């Protein structure tokens, strides 16, 4: 991949994700590729859709997903407490492969396998409220930057954050770099807030490019 830089590289890049969100997964694959090509680290942070939707009147089908969101965001937060950012990324990668690419629902097995793949303590599989304060603080940090009328993913370039980018499929190669440079450019403009169009497809993963999955 070409690493030509067309805009000034940011000093920090953060991304907030919920492991259950297919759109955040797509964004993370794109951002991870850009980070590798450009030689910077991403600070992977947790944002919980369960926390975001507390007290809201949700459709029954969507509300049924919230316990899974809470369980997995608690898991990712516990992994950070024990192993820092590297542990979060390794766990997210392992969870995402099973949840989004394999489309599995057997969470007990998914979590056990993901912890083993990430080299983390199997005891983290037990869901507890021990790290809820840290989870909510991480979530609130994203909300403070972008507002509470959005969801995941959220990315921050230095101290400017946006909801998104919402992309399908995740661009690769030069296209991935062009998108990142556009976001960096947008973040450099004081007063830039929103650019949006309606989605016309669901998340398209590299493993099922001809079989879009609806969110």
């Amino acid at each position: 991949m070409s690493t030509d830089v067309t805009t000034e590289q940011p000093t920090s890049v953060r991304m907030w994700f919920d492991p259950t969100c297919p759109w955040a997964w797509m964004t993370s694959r794109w951002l991870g590729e850009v980070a590798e090509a450009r030689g910077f680290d991403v600070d992977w942070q947790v944002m919980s859709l369960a926390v975001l939707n507390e007290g809201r009147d949700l459709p029954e089908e969507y509300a049924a997903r919230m316990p899974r969101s809470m369980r997995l965001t608690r898991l990712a937060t516990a992994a950070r407490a024990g192993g820092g950012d590297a542990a979060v990324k390794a766990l997210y990668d392992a969870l995402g492969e099973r949840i989004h690419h394999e489309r599995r629902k057997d969470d007990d097995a998914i979590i056990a396998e993901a912890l083993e793949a990430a080299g983390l303590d199997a005891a983290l599989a037990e869901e507890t409220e021990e790290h809820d304060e840290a989870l909510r603080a991480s979530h609130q940090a994203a909300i403070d930057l972008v507002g509470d009328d959005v969801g995941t993913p959220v990315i921050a370039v230095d101290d400017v954050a946006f909801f998104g980018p919402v992309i399908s499929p995740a661009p690769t190669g030069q296209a991935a770099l062009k998108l990142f440079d556009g976001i960096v450019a947008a973040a450099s403009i004081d007063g830039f807030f929103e650019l949006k169009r309606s989605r016309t497809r669901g998340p398209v993963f590299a493993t099922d490019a001809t079989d879009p999955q609806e969110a």
Side-chain angles (χ1 to χ4, degrees):
M1 179 191 302
S2 170
T3 56
D4 293 340
V5 178
T6 58
T7 57
E8 184 177 347
Q9 185 164 295
T11 57
S12 71
V13 177
R14 290 173 285 169
M15 176 177 162
W16 283 263
F17 68 91
D18 182 314
T20 68
C21 177
W23 296 104
W25 177 252
M26 299 287 288
T27 301
S28 73
R29 301 307 90 186
W30 156 75
L31 187 57
E33 177 165 340
V34 173
E36 182 177 357
R38 290 281 168 82
F40 63 79
D41 293 324
V42 178
D43 183 5
W44 302 96
Q45 296 285 338
V46 174
M47 180 180 181
S48 175
L49 292 173
V51 173
L52 181 70
N53 287 295
E54 285 178 339
R56 296 182 178 180
D57 186 15
L58 302 174
E60 184 177 349
E61 180 182 358
Y62 191 71
R65 303 178 190 175
M66 295 305 100
R68 189 186 207 197
S69 166
M70 180 58 81
R71 182 180 184 184
L72 293 179
T73 50
R74 280 172 167 162
L75 176 65
T77 306
R80 175 179 294 282
D85 193 66
V88 174
K89 180 59 164 57
L91 178 63
Y92 185 31
D93 288 346
L95 288 171
E97 286 291 335
R98 290 160 176 80
I99 293 170
H100 301 299
H101 289 286
E102 299 176 16
R103 300 183 185 178
R104 290 169 53 186
K105 303 293 185 181
D106 51 331
D107 286 349
D108 289 344
I110 288 170
I111 289 170
E113 292 172 19
L115 287 170
E116 182 178 6
L120 298 173
D121 188 349
L124 292 175
E126 180 180 358
E127 183 178 7
T128 74
E129 299 178 2
E130 180 180 358
H131 302 289
D132 278 12
E133 183 176 350
L135 166 59
R136 291 178 179 275
S138 177
H139 176 91
Q140 191 60 44
I143 295 299
D144 289 345
L145 289 171
V146 296
D148 62 1
D149 57 344
V150 300
T152 60
V154 168
I155 67 167
V157 176
D158 294 330
D159 292 324
V160 180
F162 300 108
F163 165 61
V166 177
I167 46 178
S168 181
T172 59
Q174 193 62 34
L177 300 180
K178 285 177 65 177
L179 176 58
F180 183 75
D181 288 339
I183 290 169
V184 173
S188 72
I189 306 300
D190 182 44
F192 178 86
F193 296 106
E194 184 173 347
L195 183 68
K196 184 175 181 179
R197 64 175 177 166
S198 296
R199 297 198 302 259
T200 59
R201 66 177 71 122
V204 180
F205 304 122
T207 55
D208 61 359
T210 60
D211 181 20
Q213 172 182 308
E214 295 297 331

